[in-house]
Amino acid sequence: MADELVHREVAGGIATITLDSPHNRNALSAQLRRELLEALRNSIADEAVRVILLTHTGTVFCAGMDLKESRSESAENQGINEVPGLLERIWNSPKPVVAKLGGPARAGGIGLVAACDIAVAAEGATFAFSEVRIGVVPAVISVTVLPRLHARQAHELFLTGETFDARRAEAIGLLNAAVPEAELDSAVERYLDMLARGGPNAMAATKEMLRRPRPDDLDGNFADMLRLSAEHFAGDEGQEGMRAFAEKRSPNWVPERN
């Protein structure tokens, strides 16, 4: 549809979800939030999809909440109330989600980046937790951002609202890689190719394992992890993977990619 703000395309096992609202710097308007959540749900439910790529048109990845919609609204009617569901859908997706940034992210846009499993940006991209400078708190996005950032850096950047570049974003754990703009496509493609080779059940279980808090009980943790490992070794997917390895071929879940 010509008036949609989020596009979804599936090819070669990759669901590409594109934010396409450059007139307001891909801000999280009500329409964009609604369409993005639907695209994520459809991609997660689609058996042909192995990896989800979140990208954008225009010069800005995402400017955060649409402030025009937030003005004069009560706390109950603020669009931010819908953001936890959006971030949770990305964070808890059983399929890996990759963010590709050709330009800046601000506030809630950084929350999206942090919720993704892998994030790659062009070196020219910039970032800022700008909430405090307009008198609001980066509360909701902190749920996905704080697990990524070094604590000292989080205090500085959340409290000052200072703009920082992609190289610093990489150094503090927000990005996996900051690359020259000319290399952005190839860097993202490298991650997509590697992720698409993983068994879908194994990937989902590994993501769930990574989200778990580390228990204090070492023996209990080993017991849980042993059960998880043995189930997947003995499962259909694990058995197919081992056969494929022995036969020097790709497992049957690896999609055909151009």
Side-chain angles (χ1 to χ4, degrees):
M1 295 175 59
D3 58 349
E4 69 181 9
L5 302 183
V6 177
H7 313 304
R8 175 179 175 269
E9 179 181 358
V10 178
I14 311 300
T16 301
I17 298 176
T18 305
L19 308 182
D20 186 20
S21 184
H23 71 280
N24 67 350
R25 303 189 304 161
N26 290 317
L28 296 171
S29 64
Q31 181 182 346
L32 189 141
R33 294 194 306 270
R34 181 176 65 251
E35 293 180 8
L36 177 54
L37 185 58
E38 181 180 9
L40 289 164
R41 285 173 174 162
N42 290 339
S43 298
I44 291 169
D46 190 341
E47 293 185 358
V49 173
R50 292 287 177 266
V51 185
I52 299 169
L53 173 63
L54 181 60
T55 186
H56 64 102
T57 63
T59 59
V60 176
F61 174 76
C62 178
M65 292 300 298
D66 188 329
L67 298 182
K68 290 182 180 178
E69 293 183 350
S70 296
R71 288 201 294 267
S72 303
E73 291 288 353
S74 66
E76 293 77 16
N77 294 324
Q78 287 293 332
I80 192 67
N81 295 330
E82 298 175 2
V83 173
L86 192 57
L87 298 181
E88 184 276 335
R89 183 63 58 172
I90 298 172
W91 186 273
N92 288 327
S93 166
K95 301 174 181 182
V97 185
V98 177
K100 176 183 179 182
L101 292 80
R106 296 289 187 270
I110 305 179
L112 294 179
V113 174
C116 294
D117 300 286
I118 303 288
V120 184
E123 288 177 332
T126 60
F127 304 82
F129 300 102
S130 50
E131 288 90 342
V132 293
R133 295 198 176 189
I134 61 168
V136 299
V137 179
V140 170
I141 67 166
S142 72
V143 177
T144 58
V145 172
L146 291 182
R148 307 296 191 196
L149 298 192
H150 305 157
R152 181 69 71 180
Q153 305 283 349
H155 278 250
E156 174 190 342
L157 296 171
F158 270 51
L159 292 170
T160 65
E162 181 183 22
T163 300
F164 56 102
D165 62 21
R167 284 297 179 191
R168 186 173 185 189
E170 180 185 25
I172 65 177
L174 182 63
L175 296 176
N176 294 86
V179 300
E181 184 175 0
E183 298 175 16
L184 180 60
D185 289 344
S186 61
V188 170
E189 182 62 27
R190 174 176 169 271
Y191 280 112
L192 296 177
D193 184 67
M194 290 189 292
L195 292 167
R197 294 177 182 276
N201 294 331
M203 296 288 274
T206 300
K207 282 200 60 174
E208 184 178 358
M209 179 191 70
L210 289 168
R211 290 193 299 267
R212 292 178 181 175
R214 297 298 91 192
D216 295 329
D217 177 11
L218 192 64
D219 289 342
N221 194 24
F222 272 129
D224 290 342
M225 293 301 99
L226 179 57
R227 262 193 309 274
L228 177 63
S229 184
E231 287 171 1
H232 283 270
F233 266 95
D236 291 343
E237 190 174 274
Q239 291 294 308
E240 161 61 13
M242 287 183 277
R243 282 194 301 271
F245 179 79
E247 296 166 8
K248 295 181 172 56
R249 60 174 175 82
S250 295
N252 59 18
W253 61 74
V254 177
E256 293 281 342
R257 303 199 64 219
N258 295 328

